[in-house]
Amino acid sequence: MNRLLTITSLFLFLFCLNSKAQQKYTISGYITDASSGETLIGANIFNTELKTGGTTNLYGFYSITLEEGTYNFVYSYIGYETQQFQIELNEDLTHSVSLSESGVMRDEIVIKGEREDKNIEGTEMGTVELSVDKIKKIPALLGEVDVLRTIQLLPGVMSAGEGNSGFYVRGGGPDQNLILLDEAIVYNPGHLFGFFSVFNSDAVKSATLTKGGMPARYGGRLSSVLDVSMKDGNTKDYHATGGIGLISSRLTLEGPLVKDKSAFMIAARRTYIDVLLQPLFNTERFEDFKGNGYYFYDLNTKLNYTFSEKDRIFLSGYFGRDVFNYRSTDGFEVYMPWGNATATLRWNHLFNNKLFMNATAIYNDYDFSVRVNSEINSFESTLFSGIRDYNLKWDFDYFPSVLHEIKFGVNLAHHTYTPYSVNAAIGDTEINSDPDNKKYALETAIYIQDEWSITDRIKVNVGLRASSFHHVGPYKDIRFGFNGLPEDTVRYDAFQFIADYYGIEPRISSRIRLNNDASVKLGFTYNNQYNHLVSSATSQLPTDLWVPSTARVKPQRGMQFSAGYFKNFADNVYEFSVEGYYKRLQNQIEFRESYAPELGIDIENDFVFGKGESYGLELFLKKRTGRFNGWAGYTLSRTTRTFPDINEGETFPARYDRTHDLSVVAIFELNEKWDFSGTYVYGTGQATTLPNSFFVIDGWIYTEYMDRNSFRMAPYHRMDFAATWHLKKRNKLEHDIVFSVYNVYNRQNPFFYYVDLEGDLNQGLNSRLIQVSLFPVLPSVTWNFKY
């Protein structure tokens, strides 16, 4: 008995010693910019003894749990001075750090916002973090710095057309890109019919594009995620930044409301070509143009307040409008406004050193309208379409140990769709669309993902997303008979379920580290998309319609397999990657052939459905540091669509199918006064459909078209150049002048083609293919300032 007690006592003693040795504590906090108070996303925390660490989340928060001991922690962010601390970890600690921008010489300049070995270390595939400073150095169309146009210079991302900011990713359509601004969906990201984006670069803090291996926290789209965050505002001091260009000017103001606790940011931008031309239109020579014009404007705002280390709130908003006016001398008028509005309220709460929460309430709205008035025949009409969302989200970050980073959350959304609404009058006769044609839907999602470091060489990101979509009332369903006439009407009350869809979406990506400077990555994603953009154009125009999944319109579904080899050279100065992907798409949507809109007919009756396939290989080489830096990307790909009701059921190339796509970006920082940059792009011509033959029957000309998208436009290629002159600093004023040239060698790239018929019906007709080009050489100059 005594021996048993002795053994038991010894076991308990050893267990207590072991428990004490295994005692773990957590160090956590925020990493911020010392000059502005802005949180730094993706900043690196590294423990030199254990060769491990972590990074900050989207709100600059980090958490690392280690066994009790004394450690050296290195805090770093590219472009900032590194800080090192020796910390005795014998209790849970809060340790926030402010990093200062480095004062390196220009020959040591690096790209801010990137980890040196992130290319090979992370599990992310096809993910690119865009530096706003770098975006501003790249040549821009008419001097308008553009996030979306920079994205088009990456492999796997195709431009929607000449001068257009729309983009396609790995064979997906424009609606298959999830575009977020402070977590609010932006349904139409373009100004000037897509030639410029809605993102004011002065208001942007960060932008990340994910085109493969989409994490489980994102959903609702098949191809990619572009996550754009606005600046929070400077909590230290007041600043003004802006610029004056050829077609627009912009101004951003930011500063503290309560120093080190609360700040504001407001950014405004407007084009003024309409204002400059009005005096000219008032002259007798150009009086026919009086009343015509086009302009766009947008406004970004943000407020934040820090209650304590545990609680912070952010309120941000965006409002943008394009307005087109046309008035003829005979009294015919067209007024066409469209745009986006978003509002986001976020609450960050820290439950403890390991559990971080972000609760979000979101409102977003996109609408488009056309008002037409003709005094000649007393005709008036108004067309309206749009989509509006209310969204609630709860997202959690949990850091149980240095081996795991777990994210989970839930999302609830209510959608209101107005595919079209028409009111017209001709004299005393009125024509109105059905007031009950609006559609409503509820969408929910829950997700969990874990980034798990299994060993030093193997890391995986495993996630699962469960989603549901419910088409709900009020709704009036008109049933048609075989004769095409209405024969029955079914009415649904508010929130009564009409059609229900559910989806399980597994996501997995993995990294196998081969050595200190190379790794192999594998990924698989499965996505459901319940909202659809239906268009008969080649790019995302304001007239395109957003429609929900219904009993007839099934959710789009897509799966993507990807694999890649990643390698860094010369102490992480150069990055190289080669990625291959294969993507399958189900329930793709197009308008039926010979589609023409009809009042009183639900537009979804004009849809046809099919499938898609895309596969390709992407090569990417990037020089990260030094006075000369930049990247080159090449994509070899194939994208097809198959619709039983289009092209006689034969598979055809998608209109954004590009066999070859090449982009080169070069930036050279000559000295403290001059920077130079250039871009070159080449792409296989877009696929399109043209008339194949014409024939005359009884005096009428009939057209026969070739197979769908069987004609290739001429290849697209262009070179741009920019030079930035940094002027002498005056007191607190920093300013520069940017000279840029778009399409340096005046390439006449095709915008579209049409067939011109010459002659008459009696003597015969001759056809001639006409190419329409858009932009010649376009020089521009922009003055930028910061005070």
Side-chain angles (χ1 to χ4, degrees):
M1 184 69 177
N2 291 334
R3 182 177 296 179
L4 179 60
L5 289 174
T6 301
I7 295 174
T8 303
S9 300
L10 180 61
F11 174 79
L12 290 174
F13 175 73
L14 292 175
F15 178 78
C16 292
L17 285 178
N18 183 65
S19 297
K20 185 175 182 180
Q22 294 299 319
Q23 184 67 48
K24 294 184 178 181
Y25 297 103
T26 300
I27 179 171
S28 63
Y30 292 88
I31 301 181
T32 58
D33 183 308
S35 63
S36 67
E38 290 267 2
T39 55
L40 299 179
I41 302 172
N44 191 36
I45 309 94
F46 184 72
N47 173 249
T48 58
E49 287 81 9
L50 301 179
K51 307 298 183 184
T52 188
T55 58
T56 55
N57 67 4
L58 294 175
Y59 300 94
F61 176 78
Y62 78 94
S63 176
I64 298 175
T65 300
L66 299 172
E67 295 178 9
E68 181 180 359
T70 301
Y71 300 99
N72 285 296
F73 290 95
V74 178
Y75 294 79
S76 63
Y77 193 68
I78 300 301
Y80 286 74
E81 297 283 356
T82 297
Q83 294 190 28
Q84 184 169 339
F85 299 88
Q86 186 178 79
I87 297 175
E88 185 177 355
L89 195 60
N90 54 17
E91 61 179 342
D92 290 340
L93 294 178
T94 298
H95 186 73
S96 295
V97 176
S98 295
L99 300 181
S100 300
E101 291 192 39
S102 60
V104 297
M105 300 298 292
R106 295 184 68 84
D107 61 353
E108 298 174 340
I109 286 177
V110 294
I111 303 172
K112 295 179 182 178
E114 299 177 345
R115 278 186 56 185
E116 292 185 356
D117 62 348
K118 188 171 184 178
N119 182 52
I120 58 175
E121 176 63 24
T123 59
E124 302 89 352
M125 294 190 65
T127 299
V128 181
E129 296 178 2
L130 299 171
S131 162
V132 176
D133 290 340
K134 189 63 59 178
I135 291 172
K136 290 182 177 181
K137 294 180 182 294
I138 295 174
L141 175 62
L142 295 174
E144 287 295 307
V145 176
D146 198 323
V147 173
L148 296 188
R149 201 174 303 283
T150 303
I151 286 173
Q152 296 173 5
L153 299 173
L154 299 172
V157 183
M158 309 294 181
S159 165
E162 169 73 294
N164 202 299
S165 63
F167 63 100
Y168 307 99
V169 177
R170 291 184 171 180
D175 66 322
Q176 294 172 1
N177 303 314
L178 178 63
I179 302 176
L180 303 173
L181 180 62
D182 270 6
E183 300 192 48
I185 296 176
V186 178
Y187 281 102
N188 190 318
H191 281 307
L192 189 58
F193 300 98
F195 288 102
F196 302 105
S197 81
V198 300
F199 301 115
N200 182 346
S201 60
D202 287 343
V204 172
K205 174 181 178 179
S206 66
T208 302
L209 174 70
T210 302
K211 55 186 177 173
M214 188 184 299
R217 69 178 182 272
Y218 296 116
R221 298 294 187 273
L222 301 186
S223 290
S224 74
V225 179
L226 177 62
D227 196 344
V228 180
S229 296
M230 283 194 280
K231 291 180 178 177
D232 297 330
N234 195 312
T235 61
K236 306 289 186 181
D237 203 357
Y238 296 97
H239 289 278
T241 58
I244 299 174
L246 290 182
I247 66 168
S248 73
S249 289
R250 63 190 192 280
L251 177 65
T252 300
L253 302 174
E254 59 178 327
L257 296 173
V258 179
K259 193 167 184 178
D260 295 327
K261 294 191 69 173
S262 178
F264 73 92
M265 187 278 296
I266 181 169
R269 177 176 59 160
R270 191 192 190 279
T271 57
Y272 39 66
I273 192 68
D274 60 315
V275 177
L276 297 178
L277 291 179
Q278 280 309 310
L280 184 65
F281 291 166
N282 288 332
T283 63
E284 182 177 351
R285 183 177 179 181
F286 295 97
E287 63 180 356
D288 288 352
F289 296 94
K290 188 174 183 179
N292 298 336
Y294 168 84
Y295 63 91
F296 72 76
Y297 63 89
D298 48 37
L299 179 70
N300 297 77
T301 60
K302 195 165 186 177
L303 299 171
N304 74 81
Y305 190 90
T306 301
F307 292 95
S308 66
E309 283 288 333
K310 290 184 177 293
D311 293 284
R312 302 181 179 197
I313 60 169
F314 302 84
L315 177 62
S316 58
Y318 169 85
F319 183 81
R321 276 291 178 271
D322 289 65
V323 179
F324 173 76
N325 295 286
Y326 172 79
R327 180 182 176 86
S328 66
T329 55
D330 58 5
F332 180 77
E333 296 180 58
V334 177
Y335 176 70
M336 187 165 62
W338 71 91
N340 301 275
T342 72
T344 306
L345 176 63
R346 288 178 286 183
W347 169 39
N348 290 175
H349 178 67
L350 191 61
F351 289 98
N352 53 53
N353 287 352
K354 296 183 179 182
L355 183 59
F356 178 94
M357 181 200 72
N358 178 60
T360 310
I362 302 169
Y363 165 85
N364 55 293
D365 176 85
Y366 168 71
D367 62 73
F368 163 82
S369 64
V370 182
R371 293 204 294 271
V372 179
N373 179 46
S374 176
E375 297 177 359
I376 297 177
N377 51 19
S378 299
F379 172 76
E380 294 181 7
S381 71
T382 300
L383 181 146
F384 175 88
S385 69
I387 181 171
R388 177 176 297 172
D389 296 342
Y390 296 94
N391 199 333
L392 293 175
K393 294 176 59 183
W394 291 267
D395 299 289
F396 298 84
D397 291 0
Y398 179 52
F399 306 87
S401 72
V402 291
L403 301 179
H404 295 271
E405 183 178 336
I406 299 173
K407 299 178 185 291
F408 58 96
V410 62
N411 184 10
L412 309 172
H414 180 271
H415 307 284
T416 302
Y417 309 82
T418 307
Y420 65 88
S421 175
V422 179
N423 298 303
I426 304 177
D428 296 330
T429 304
E430 293 187 358
I431 304 173
N432 298 313
S433 61
D434 191 338
D436 295 330
N437 75 329
K438 284 187 177 182
K439 295 180 180 179
Y440 304 88
L442 298 175
E443 185 174 0
T444 65
I446 185 170
Y447 73 89
I448 184 169
Q449 68 181 57
D450 180 18
E451 183 156 290
W452 177 21
S453 298
I454 300 175
T455 69
D456 291 341
R457 292 183 177 273
I458 301 175
K459 180 187 288 187
V460 297
N461 188 314
V462 181
L464 187 66
R465 184 180 182 91
S467 59
S468 70
F469 188 88
H470 311 276
H471 178 205
V472 298
Y475 180 63
K476 183 173 68 175
D477 184 10
I478 301 176
R479 310 282 175 87
F480 291 85
F482 291 107
N483 57 6
L485 298 175
E487 63 178 20
D488 190 21
T489 299
V490 179
R491 293 185 178 273
Y492 296 89
D493 296 329
F495 292 100
Q496 184 178 352
F497 284 14
I498 304 170
D500 307 302
Y501 296 100
Y502 301 89
I504 299 296
E505 305 172 22
R507 318 279 177 83
I508 182 169
S509 57
S510 61
R511 180 266 290 161
I512 304 171
R513 191 159 190 162
L514 304 178
N515 50 49
N516 290 334
D517 55 17
S519 63
V520 172
K521 300 182 184 181
L522 304 171
F524 170 78
T525 61
Y526 186 88
N527 299 67
N528 293 284
Q529 179 169 329
Y530 303 105
N531 296 312
H532 320 284
L533 181 71
V534 187
S535 170
S536 57
T538 58
S539 63
Q540 190 169 346
L541 296 176
T543 52
D544 297 341
L545 301 175
W546 284 95
V547 297
S549 295
T550 63
R552 172 174 169 76
V553 181
K554 309 299 182 185
Q556 298 181 62
R557 305 189 191 277
M559 65 171 61
Q560 180 177 233
F561 302 88
S562 53
Y565 172 74
F566 299 78
K567 184 174 178 59
N568 288 5
F569 300 91
D571 196 24
N572 296 316
V573 172
Y574 294 92
E575 295 179 355
F576 171 77
S577 65
V578 54
E579 290 187 54
Y581 68 88
Y582 174 77
K583 181 187 291 185
R584 290 177 56 189
L585 304 172
Q586 300 292 329
N587 302 329
Q588 301 301 283
I589 304 175
E590 294 276 1
F591 281 114
R592 60 176 171 82
E593 293 182 331
S594 304
Y595 160 73
E598 297 179 65
L599 286 178
I601 303 298
D602 194 324
I603 195 170
E604 67 180 44
N605 292 310
D606 291 306
F607 297 161
V608 294
F609 307 94
K611 61 184 180 180
E613 185 180 55
S614 180
Y615 49 90
L617 187 71
E618 301 170 0
L619 302 176
F620 188 59
L621 177 64
K622 177 180 181 180
K623 186 175 186 291
R624 300 176 54 256
T625 66
R627 295 167 56 190
F628 178 78
N629 55 78
W631 68 83
Y634 170 74
T635 304
L636 175 68
S637 64
R638 175 72 169 162
T639 301
T640 60
R641 295 289 186 266
T642 305
F643 284 74
D645 299 304
I646 295 178
N647 203 47
E648 297 182 346
E650 295 293 325
T651 298
F652 57 89
R655 57 190 172 218
Y656 30 86
D657 172 56
R658 304 270 182 86
T659 305
H660 304 284
D661 189 81
L662 172 70
S663 300
V664 180
V665 177
I667 300 172
F668 179 61
E669 306 186 18
L670 178 65
N671 51 42
E672 293 185 355
K673 288 189 175 181
W674 286 97
D675 297 337
F676 299 95
S677 63
T679 61
Y680 175 78
V681 295
Y682 174 89
T684 301
Q686 286 191 355
T688 189
T689 307
L690 293 176
N692 190 41
S693 61
F694 300 91
F695 51 94
V696 179
I697 299 178
D698 297 330
W700 293 93
I701 300 176
Y702 293 86
T703 304
E704 183 179 84
Y705 285 88
M706 60 181 60
D707 291 342
R708 174 68 69 100
N709 293 341
S710 61
F711 180 85
R712 285 284 178 180
M713 295 185 181
Y716 182 97
H717 53 91
R718 189 191 77 245
M719 179 182 290
D720 305 330
F721 175 80
T724 302
W725 179 22
H726 299 275
L727 302 174
K728 185 177 180 180
K729 185 176 180 179
R730 298 179 180 274
N731 295 324
K732 294 184 178 182
L733 177 64
E734 300 176 18
H735 55 146
D736 59 55
I737 298 177
V738 180
F739 306 92
S740 63
V741 181
Y742 182 89
N743 196 7
V744 171
Y745 53 83
N746 195 31
R747 163 70 176 176
Q748 299 299 301
N749 287 302
F751 187 56
F752 65 87
Y753 292 88
Y754 70 92
V755 177
D756 182 41
L757 295 179
E758 298 175 339
D760 57 52
L761 297 180
N762 296 323
Q763 298 182 0
L765 296 173
N766 294 316
S767 61
R768 187 164 59 102
L769 184 64
I770 306 296
Q771 173 184 307
V772 177
S773 300
L774 201 59
F775 294 125
V777 177
L778 288 177
S780 64
V781 59
T782 305
W783 176 62
N784 302 303
F785 67 88
K786 180 179 181 180
Y787 183 80

